[in-house]
Amino acid sequence: MRTIIVGCGRVGAGLAGRLAEAGDDVTVVDVRTDAFDRLPEGFPGDAVRADGTDEDVLRRIGIEGSDRFFALTEGDNRNILAAQLAAETFSVPMVVAKVNDPVRAAAYADLGIATLCRTGLMLDAVNTYLGLPASGLPGMQAPTGHHPGAAHHGAAADDAPVTEPVAATATPSGQEA
């Protein structure tokens, strides 16, 4: 399997190590070189310092023909932009975006992108610890909408494809809004 991971934080690095150990051909992309220090020693994949929301960068690292794509940065906007490129422009069959906002997580799943919502997962972990019922917020949510490669990953085959891009916004300091 060919896997691309955008974001080499703890989750991205941990996933990269596990997938490489399982035999995947893994490429990890991050804008910070020091992020690659989190990768396991002897990581056999590629670590590329670049912007994972740049279409040309994704082409250069071999997204065409990839089987899986994970957008795992700290920014919801960056993750969804990268995920939409992977799903809609490059037709990667399995695309997952880490999203902190539960409302966005559900909306992006409706657009055909699987979402991993840290807020829902953490709240449910605390609720379980306290003996409380589940929050009802999405944790890991399969795509419910459609993108060109998603039909066999939970998306309805007769849904209309998404045609409007979601743009990331930035504040003057360069941080995502």
Side-chain angles (χ1 to χ4, degrees):
M1 286 260 193
R2 172 92 177 103
T3 301
I4 294 177
I5 299 171
V6 174
C8 195
R10 289 176 188 90
V11 175
L15 181 61
R18 294 295 301 260
L19 291 175
E21 185 179 290
D24 273 26
D25 174 14
V26 180
T27 298
V28 183
V29 179
D30 201 292
V31 294
R32 295 182 41 195
T33 305
D34 64 338
F36 302 124
D37 294 343
R38 294 185 182 99
L39 290 168
E41 189 171 326
F43 176 69
D46 294 318
V48 179
R49 184 180 166 273
D51 179 355
T53 65
D54 184 312
E55 196 172 323
D56 292 331
V57 166
L58 294 175
R59 271 196 183 87
R60 268 196 319 272
I61 64 171
I63 193 170
E64 294 167 315
S66 290
D67 302 294
R68 298 188 284 211
F69 183 93
F70 296 89
L72 303 173
T73 75
E74 288 302 310
D76 286 4
N77 292 336
R78 222 177 350 225
N79 287 341
I80 199 57
L81 180 59
Q84 279 191 299
L85 278 170
E88 296 173 16
T89 302
F90 298 107
S91 299
V92 176
M94 178 183 283
V95 177
V96 177
K98 181 174 83 170
V99 181
N100 294 307
D101 180 346
V103 174
R104 285 183 177 184
Y108 296 137
D110 287 343
L111 294 176
I113 296 169
T115 58
L116 173 64
C117 181
R118 179 170 43 190
T119 304
L121 291 170
M122 290 178 70
L123 185 54
D124 283 343
V126 171
N127 286 347
T128 298
Y129 178 75
L130 296 174
L132 299 172
S135 68
L137 294 175
M140 182 72 204
Q141 188 166 343
T144 55
H146 177 75
H147 75 70
H152 63 284
H153 290 289
D158 59 350
D159 287 344
V162 177
T163 57
E164 295 180 28
V166 174
T169 58
T171 63
S173 67
Q175 299 295 314
E176 282 195 357

